[in-house]
């Protein structure tokens, strides 16, 4: 079993920044991919950014150049630095981790006011 605990969400004005963190705990040997999805009201969950344990990253087109994903393998933690936030970034952000199965965090609300 893997538990994921997210932190760092909140309310910010457009143009501001937030940093999300997601720490994995449990009997973990080596986590595979980690990353973030988001879901806005009335919309499907969409991939925001992901990273492999080798350091490769990928981003949704809508966040390229504004968001940066990183991870600390020693701490089994993934981060999402979000800059130049827009109202359309408002959503619940969920982290995920692949360790045989895919595990999900409980979600953290990000609200960007105009």
């Amino acid at each position: 079993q893997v538990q994921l605990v997210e932190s760092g969400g909140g309310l910010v004005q457009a143009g501001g920044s937030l940093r999300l963190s997601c720490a994995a705990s449990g009997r973990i040997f080596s986590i595979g991919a980690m990353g973030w999805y988001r879901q806005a009201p009335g919309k499907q969950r969409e991939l925001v950014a992901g990273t492999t344990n080798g350091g490769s990253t990928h981003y949704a087109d809508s966040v390229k150049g504004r968001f940066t994903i990183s991870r600390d393998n020693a701490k089994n933690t993934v981060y999402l630095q979000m800059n130049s936030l827009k109202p359309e970034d408002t959503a619940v952000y969920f982290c995920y981790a692949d360790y045989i199965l895919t595990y999900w965090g409980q979600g953290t609300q990000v609200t960007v006011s105009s």
Side-chain angles (χ1 to χ4, degrees):
Q1 281 284 0
V2 175
Q3 295 81 42
L4 300 177
V5 178
E6 300 147 340
S7 60
L11 173 64
V12 65
Q13 288 188 331
S17 298
L18 285 173
R19 187 188 193 216
L20 305 182
S21 300
C22 174
S25 62
R27 293 188 175 185
I28 303 169
F29 174 65
S30 178
I31 294 180
M34 298 183 77
W36 298 88
Y37 276 73
R38 68 186 180 187
Q39 187 165 20
K43 294 188 177 181
Q44 289 189 329
R45 190 174 294 193
E46 63 174 354
L47 176 66
V48 177
T51 178
T52 68
N53 57 6
S56 298
T57 60
H58 56 276
Y59 297 90
D61 287 343
S62 59
V63 307
K64 284 180 180 177
R66 300 188 297 121
F67 291 10
T68 303
I69 190 170
S70 61
R71 65 189 284 171
D72 183 334
N73 289 331
K75 296 181 179 180
N76 290 320
T77 299
V78 64
Y79 306 94
L80 186 67
Q81 178 66 44
M82 305 185 294
N83 298 329
S84 302
L85 282 161
K86 304 176 181 180
E88 51 263 44
D89 294 317
T90 296
V92 178
Y93 285 68
F94 298 89
C95 73
Y96 71 89
D98 290 339
Y99 185 69
I100 304 175
L101 303 175
T102 298
Y103 293 87
W104 295 91
Q106 79 283 0
T108 186
Q109 177 70 46
V110 172
T111 302
V112 184
S113 63
S114 57

